[in-house]
Amino acid sequence: MPLDASARPLRATAPELSLPPPFTLVRLRELGDAFAHAQSIAAEAGAGTLVHVGRFDLAEFALVLEPEEPLATSRRAFIAGMAALADALAAYAQPETLIEIHWPGALTINLGLVGGGRLAWPGDATEEDVPDWLVFGGMIRTESMLQEPGLTPNATALAQEGFGETSAADIVESFARNMMMHLDAWQEKGFGVVAKSYLERLSGEGLRSLAGNGDLLARRPRVKETEREALVPALARAAWYDPATKGPRA
């Protein structure tokens, strides 16, 4: 799939992103919605367009892709996006930091929710169609805006997990580099390489694999039957995302 935590005042400006040549940056102000905006411009802007919202407390971005496969299989770009986002965090993490993906798109650090990914495609595309575009959207909480972080023990932020001065821009730049590597590996070696990277960080027990359409296949201890979890309804739920706050759940 080529690319053709304590509260403090927001900074007035955010650093410009340094992205690899295939990417084109579209920057939104702090109240913008990267995921929605990328979908609205995807048909015209084309592959490699990366929409970024300039905030210090949240790494929020969305990437436009132009698949070459039917929707049923090209949705696996979501798997590549999640693997790239997890790798982006790992690049700045302290040794022994536990970074996990929770099916299909939530990310935790040391068991605390820090963000996740979403995927969108044209509403009129059928499973057999090659969609004109896909949009992978990601969010990572870099700093907590809560006065008392202990009130939300299941949520965390990079600043609380030893990421030092790692900024939202650092995470988005690292995602872009890792996404390029995963898409190149997909083209050259097949999707299995991408799936392996994703599954290595997937939480839970048992033998896991991915079906051709991205569904999760799991063989759990002492259970004979293979369990199947469908990707599409799981993407629709996006359980890690809070529509009310437009960010990761607290």
Side-chain angles (χ1 to χ4, degrees):
M1 183 172 298
L3 282 177
D4 300 332
S6 55
R8 65 189 187 196
L10 295 175
R11 289 199 286 259
T13 60
E16 194 68 29
L17 295 183
S18 176
L19 300 175
F23 292 87
T24 301
L25 178 64
V26 174
R27 186 168 171 179
L28 303 182
R29 297 179 66 87
E30 291 173 0
L31 297 180
D33 184 327
F35 193 54
H37 188 75
Q39 294 174 62
S40 71
I41 65 172
E44 295 182 1
T49 301
L50 190 146
V51 181
H52 173 237
V53 177
R55 297 176 57 173
F56 90 94
D57 62 317
L58 189 69
E60 179 184 351
F61 66 90
L63 175 64
V64 178
L65 300 165
E66 290 181 355
E68 296 178 344
E69 301 179 10
L71 178 59
T73 56
S74 63
R75 279 198 197 92
R76 294 179 298 175
F78 176 77
I79 302 300
M82 288 304 304
L85 192 51
D87 287 347
L89 295 177
Y92 291 97
Q94 296 293 317
E96 307 305 320
T97 300
L98 178 62
I99 298 172
E100 290 185 300
I101 299 170
H102 296 252
W103 172 260
L107 272 166
T108 62
I109 298 178
N110 297 326
L111 304 182
L113 179 67
V114 74
R118 293 181 287 170
L119 189 74
W121 55 88
D124 59 354
T126 70
E127 295 295 290
E128 296 75 27
D129 291 338
V130 177
D132 293 335
W133 52 265
L134 298 173
V135 169
F136 177 85
M139 284 186 177
I140 296 295
R141 189 161 35 218
T142 54
E143 299 207 26
S144 173
M145 298 297 289
L146 298 173
Q147 295 290 348
E148 299 182 56
L151 295 177
T152 56
N154 296 323
T156 191
L158 300 190
Q160 295 171 257
E161 301 297 338
F163 280 72
E165 297 300 315
T166 303
S167 68
D170 292 331
I171 297 301
V172 178
E173 290 171 354
S174 184
F175 165 82
R177 294 189 295 268
N178 282 286
M179 188 64 166
M180 281 187 62
M181 288 190 290
H182 283 297
L183 293 180
D184 287 345
W186 185 349
Q187 279 193 299
E188 295 175 9
K189 301 178 181 179
F191 180 72
V193 177
V194 179
K196 181 175 183 292
S197 180
Y198 175 89
L199 291 169
E200 285 175 346
R201 296 193 187 275
L202 189 64
S203 66
E205 298 180 342
L207 298 174
R208 278 82 58 83
S209 62
L210 295 174
N213 66 349
D215 289 356
L216 179 65
L217 306 176
R219 289 290 301 273
R220 306 187 190 281
R222 299 178 295 278
V223 176
K224 293 182 179 180
E225 295 79 11
T226 298
E227 299 176 6
R228 185 171 188 136
E229 296 188 54
L231 177 61
V232 174
L235 289 175
R237 289 192 298 271
W240 63 270
Y241 178 75
D242 185 348
T245 63
K246 297 185 177 180
R249 292 189 182 277

